[in-house]
Amino acid sequence: MTVETSGTLATILADLQKMALGDGSNRPLPPVEKWHPAFCGDANIRIKADGSWWHEGTRMTRESLVRLFSTILRKDDDGNTYLVTPGEKVLVTVEDAPFLGTRVDRFVEGGKAHIAVTTNLGDVVTLGSSHALRVETARTTQEPRPYALVRGRLEARILRAPFYELVEWAEERAGPNGIELVVMSGGEAFSLGMLDAVMAA
């Protein structure tokens, strides 16, 4: 995609203030999937693989602002991620995933085990049919790279420590290719990968 640099962050902030979103915490998420403004260019925002946000080469250190912008992120079917308001749509570069899964918790409700994933920006989702877990294998290190669906097409990469908590909760299931580790949440089964590969990472 060819884009032009656009100085629209001030306009986006003004739109957010009009919507009275405050710092983005403890409020319903904006209905970004219902907004279809014209594409306005590149926001010059990069979300790095470590979860940090950068604008024009400078790290964005105001957590409240980052959380606010995260509530209007949307990944479209073209594979690109955007900041979206009713009047603006600007491109954001995402190195890996826009969120990090920093914590997992297991609880029982309705007779079923559930696993909640908390992100670095305060989102909490429960794995299940609406919030799937998938695990890729890193090509360079062969380590498992787990991702939980947060909303829309936006995912959180689950960090190493919480991933190994999932491994502790997993069941071993024999299959044609060996023993697979499977974790259950909300009646859904999610594969963490083959036992040998996970334990070797």
Side-chain angles (χ1 to χ4, degrees):
M1 172 185 292
T2 301
V3 297
E4 296 180 358
T5 301
S6 174
T8 58
L9 290 190
T11 306
I12 288 175
L13 279 172
D15 286 348
L16 294 174
Q17 289 170 351
K18 288 176 185 176
M19 291 185 285
L21 292 180
D23 64 357
S25 62
N26 300 318
R27 290 181 180 273
L29 289 168
V32 294
E33 71 283 351
K34 297 180 180 179
W35 297 337
H36 304 287
F39 177 64
C40 299
D42 194 332
N44 284 319
I45 290 177
R46 176 178 293 271
I47 304 175
K48 294 193 175 184
D50 64 3
S52 61
W53 286 51
W54 296 71
H55 179 235
E56 297 181 343
T58 300
R59 183 166 184 168
M60 299 171 64
T61 57
R62 281 182 55 195
E63 184 177 350
S64 61
L65 184 62
V66 170
R67 286 191 179 216
L68 180 59
F69 280 145
S70 78
T71 66
I72 57 168
L73 279 178
R74 188 179 77 197
K75 185 174 183 180
D76 287 356
D77 56 10
D78 62 4
N80 292 309
T81 302
Y82 303 91
L83 291 176
V84 183
T85 71
E88 302 280 337
K89 176 180 176 180
V90 293
L91 182 69
V92 174
T93 301
V94 180
E95 289 185 351
D96 187 356
F99 305 104
L100 297 177
T102 57
R103 173 174 173 164
V104 291
D105 294 280
R106 187 170 58 166
F107 61 96
V108 176
E109 187 176 271
K112 294 180 179 179
H114 300 265
I115 296 172
V117 178
T118 301
T119 76
N120 59 317
L121 295 178
D123 301 272
V124 181
V125 297
T126 301
L127 299 180
S129 57
S130 299
H131 299 283
L133 174 73
R134 67 181 182 90
V135 179
E136 293 184 352
T137 301
R139 283 180 287 183
T140 53
T141 64
Q142 297 303 303
E143 291 184 351
R145 294 184 69 84
Y147 298 86
L149 185 62
V150 177
R151 58 180 177 270
R153 299 179 180 89
L154 302 173
E155 293 183 310
R157 179 172 59 82
I158 298 176
L159 297 179
R160 187 179 183 91
F163 175 68
Y164 280 101
E165 288 189 71
L166 296 179
V167 171
E168 290 180 9
W169 301 334
E171 306 170 2
E172 296 183 8
R173 294 188 180 180
N177 299 316
I179 298 175
E180 185 178 22
L181 290 176
V182 175
V183 69
M184 300 295 298
S185 181
E188 300 282 333
F190 299 102
S191 175
L192 302 182
M194 305 308 294
L195 176 63
D196 291 346
V198 172
M199 301 312 293

